[in-house]
Amino acid sequence: MDIAGRSDVGRVRGNNEDSFKLLPELNLFVLSDGMGGEAHGEVASALAVDTIVSHCQQALKNPGLPMEGEPRPDLTEKSNRLLSAVRLANRAIFEQSQADTNQRGMGATVVAIWVDGERLCVAHVGDSRVYLLRAGDLQQLTEDHSLVAEQVRRGIITRQQADQSKNQSVLLRALGIEETVDADAAEHVLIDGDAVLLCSDGLDRMVTDPEIASAILTNTGAQPAVDRLIELALENGGEDNVTVFLMRVQKVHDGFLLRLWRWLNGPLQQ
Amino acid sequence: MKLVLKFEEKMLKEVALSDRPITIGRGPDNDIHIDNLAISTHHAKIYKDAGRVIIEDLNSLNGTFMNNQRITKSFLKIGDKILIGKHHILLDDTISGEAPAAGPKITAPKIQETVMLDAKARKALLDQALAAQAAGGAAAPAAPASRTGGTAVQAPVPPRVKVPTLAVISGKTDQPEYQLTSKLIVIGKSDMANIKLKGWFKPKVAAQITKRDDGFYIGKGDRVPSINGVPIGSPTRLNEGDIIEVAGVKLNFTFRD
């Protein structure tokens, strides 16, 4: 697995409200975009990533650690743990903002992935995104919890109208606004050659999907691709903080039959 | 004395402070009108009382901050930093010129401050969006406060939902048909595949179907799928009645009521 992550304040903002944490030893990667007056966005996003990472780490030591909220029967233990961590992050931000009137109203988006062999667990809230680049095709795996995305889903406005809407920054779901949050979680299978991208809206508002795909395809390593994506966001205006994480899947553990198949095929194909 | 409105160190507006109270809010009737959803319709007011300047929060949702403290009512001095949403207001004692009676609308920068909606605001906004849809309007609804009464719009009748479905015509799979409900639908032998292929030597991911704004697209995995007998090049949109063939299975794509 080849991974890289980077955050940049951008060219307009005075402070960076994004936070991210990479735990390659656990294959756990978390990115959050905070919001709120003064420096409270940073507080919210840092609290989100710290809470998620620590809940997942604790669960590895103590698998009986209580889950936050109802586990979903259609998800594996690991995805449910990630979902639980996101819900817990919501509670942590909400409680801190309730306890300190200065921090009231702070919130954050989050995207978190946990890779378990060939299984990709994804959990998210808000408009930060997870993309999958497979066979040259870039696909967003998450649905933005924003007003404009909801309007597009309902067929009220087109994607082009959404990109020009003044309501682009209105989120329908975020961490820390209410006591509980409706977080999305999903599982996907990874295959050799996949690239998984996590980003804050400072990337996808500045850089088009084809530009993103091309930057990943033309830079073989994860780090040069991440550097190029940040550079593109800045070249196109850098109007917001931009955080990018990229994971290239080089080798996913193969099943016995597939290995046998390859071995049997090997001499024939030469 | 005058009030200076700033955003990210950029000066946006100056308003002279006379004996009349100055109101700040998202509503267009305010003296300082800030078109941003983080600002309440009538957010705060600043007025003179016995020679002193007072700032009062008008029970706003996101609060009025003075020198990083949330306030409800406070004396305002030169040098105090007022924060409303992401906009700063400063009191300035230099002589000001004529205050514009109705200043130009303040336009927010391209990327606005992100606003989060609580359950109540979310419902109001979505209801409004749906009402706009029912009224036949394709335009995006404006911010909630700009709804200016008028005729009440009837609750829209939800459109009949057509569920995209793949029916298995031939080949071994774990189900006879599948409803396409997620963003990424994998066809393959993997335990996590949505459409599980059975039998020996099937690829883990033969192909995948992705949901986009304008429909469902099928793309390559370890195999190149065919649509109606023609192998695809790039991801291809599925149309009603299409026959997909990949890794020894044949599937029929339809929208069901």
Side-chain angles (χ1 to χ4, degrees), chain B residues 3-20:
Chain B
L3 296 168
V4 180
L5 176 70
K6 289 171 113 180
F7 182 85
E8 304 259 358
E9 295 310 307
K10 205 167 75 196
M11 216 264 277
L12 295 176
K13 188 176 183 172
E14 286 185 11
V15 175
L17 186 60
S18 59
D19 291 335
R20 204 170 54 84

Side-chain angles (χ1 to χ4, degrees), chain A residues 15-89:
Chain A
N15 55 341
N16 193 341
E17 298 185 325
D18 291 354
S19 297
F20 71 106
K21 262 197 176 170
L22 310 181
L23 278 83
E25 64 280 16
L26 299 188
N27 279 329
L28 174 67
F29 310 102
V30 188
L31 183 159
S32 173
D33 177 356
M35 55 205 89
E38 294 296 327
H40 305 141
E42 277 116 294
V43 174
S45 66
L47 192 53
V49 296
D50 289 347
T51 305
I52 289 166
V53 164
S54 105
H55 184 68
C56 292
Q57 282 174 323
Q58 281 172 33
L60 288 177
K61 286 186 207 120
N62 169 23
L65 185 72
M67 292 271 189
E68 172 79 7
E70 270 305 301
R72 265 174 48 184
D74 60 319
L75 295 176
T76 57
E77 173 89 17
K78 207 149 207 158
S79 296
N80 268 312
R81 184 55 71 186
L82 194 63
L83 184 58
S84 163
V86 167
R87 290 167 173 167
L88 206 61

Side-chain angles (χ1 to χ4, degrees), chain A residues 29 31 72 82-83 86 109-114 120-133 138-146 148-150 152-153 159 171 173 182-188 195-201 203-204 209 212, chain B residues 181-185 210-213:
Chain A
F29 310 102
L31 183 159
R72 265 174 48 184
L82 194 63
L83 184 58
V86 167
T109 71
V110 72
V111 282
I113 62 166
W114 203 352
L120 171 71
C121 308
V122 178
H124 92 287
V125 174
D127 65 353
S128 295
R129 293 179 175 177
V130 178
Y131 286 95
L132 172 67
L133 182 77
L138 189 73
Q139 166 69 16
Q140 190 183 338
L141 292 181
T142 50
E143 293 197 316
D144 295 348
H145 300 143
S146 65
V148 289
E150 185 65 30
V152 171
R153 280 193 287 274
R159 171 73 60 184
L171 292 187
R173 297 190 226 166
D182 181 15
D184 282 358
E187 292 176 347
H188 305 283
V196 180
L197 173 76
L198 274 62
C199 66
S200 59
D201 64 347
L203 180 75
D204 57 74
D209 283 7
I212 292 174
Chain B
T181 48
S182 53
K183 290 273 293 179
L184 177 67
I185 297 129
T210 55
K211 186 179 156 198
R212 302 192 185 175
D213 293 342

Side-chain angles (χ1 to χ4, degrees), chain B residues 90-169:
Chain B
L90 304 163
L91 184 63
D92 195 329
D93 62 352
T94 52
I95 306 299
S96 66
E98 188 79 3
K105 192 175 130 186
I106 296 151
T107 49
K110 194 166 153 202
I111 284 201
Q112 297 173 357
E113 208 44 53
T114 305
V115 177
M116 297 153 298
L117 300 177
D118 59 13
K120 219 173 100 189
R122 182 166 58 226
K123 192 178 175 307
L125 212 55
L126 278 176
D127 285 353
Q128 192 196 350
L130 283 173
Q133 183 184 26
S146 61
R147 192 155 82 169
T148 49
T151 50
V153 184
Q154 296 262 310
V157 180
R160 240 194 16 235
V161 183
K162 293 233 179 191
V163 183
T165 307
L166 277 179
V168 181
I169 300 172

Side-chain angles (χ1 to χ4, degrees), chain A residues 12-15 17 33-38 40 101-109 116 118-120 127 132 134-135 137-143 147 150-159 161 165-175 177-178 187-192 201-202 205-206 236 239-240 252-254 257-258 260-262 264, chain B residues 7-8 35 37 61-62 65 67-70 81 83 85-86 88 105 109-122 125-127 129-133 137-144 146 159 181-186 189-194 199-205 207-213 217-223 235:
Chain A
V12 175
R13 303 270 192 218
N15 55 341
E17 298 185 325
D33 177 356
M35 55 205 89
E38 294 296 327
H40 305 141
T101 52
N102 281 324
Q103 295 184 338
R104 198 154 290 169
M106 72 175 176
T109 71
D116 185 12
E118 61 177 28
R119 189 187 309 271
L120 171 71
D127 65 353
L132 172 67
R134 175 177 293 170
D137 183 32
L138 189 73
Q139 166 69 16
Q140 190 183 338
L141 292 181
T142 50
E143 293 197 316
L147 177 65
E150 185 65 30
Q151 288 174 317
V152 171
R153 280 193 287 274
R154 292 177 187 227
I156 299 168
I157 61 172
T158 64
R159 171 73 60 184
Q161 286 173 315
S165 169
K166 70 186 180 92
N167 289 339
Q168 272 190 68
S169 303
V170 179
L171 292 187
L172 299 179
R173 297 190 226 166
L175 297 180
I177 307 310
E178 286 159 78
E187 292 176 347
H188 305 283
V189 54
L190 289 174
I191 56 174
D192 225 5
D201 64 347
R205 290 236 216 138
M206 291 288 124
N236 295 356
E239 291 181 25
D240 201 356
V252 173
H253 175 71
D254 282 336
L257 284 176
L258 193 54
L260 179 69
W261 175 241
R262 285 201 177 143
L264 285 169
Chain B
F7 182 85
E8 304 259 358
D35 190 18
L37 281 171
L61 182 67
N62 290 313
F65 294 84
N67 306 327
N68 295 334
Q69 293 290 317
R70 191 170 180 153
K81 239 171 98 181
L83 179 75
K86 276 268 165 158
H88 288 277
K105 192 175 130 186
K110 194 166 153 202
I111 284 201
Q112 297 173 357
E113 208 44 53
T114 305
V115 177
M116 297 153 298
L117 300 177
D118 59 13
K120 219 173 100 189
R122 182 166 58 226
L125 212 55
L126 278 176
D127 285 353
L130 283 173
Q133 183 184 26
S146 61
T181 48
S182 53
K183 290 273 293 179
L184 177 67
I185 297 129
V186 164
K189 197 183 167 68
S190 163
D191 287 345
M192 279 168 287
N194 307 75
W200 286 62
F201 310 128
K202 297 284 185 184
K204 199 162 73 180
V205 175
Q208 63 234 319
I209 297 171
T210 55
K211 186 179 156 198
R212 302 192 185 175
D213 293 342
Y217 283 72
I218 188 160
K220 294 173 201 170
D222 272 357
R223 299 283 188 278

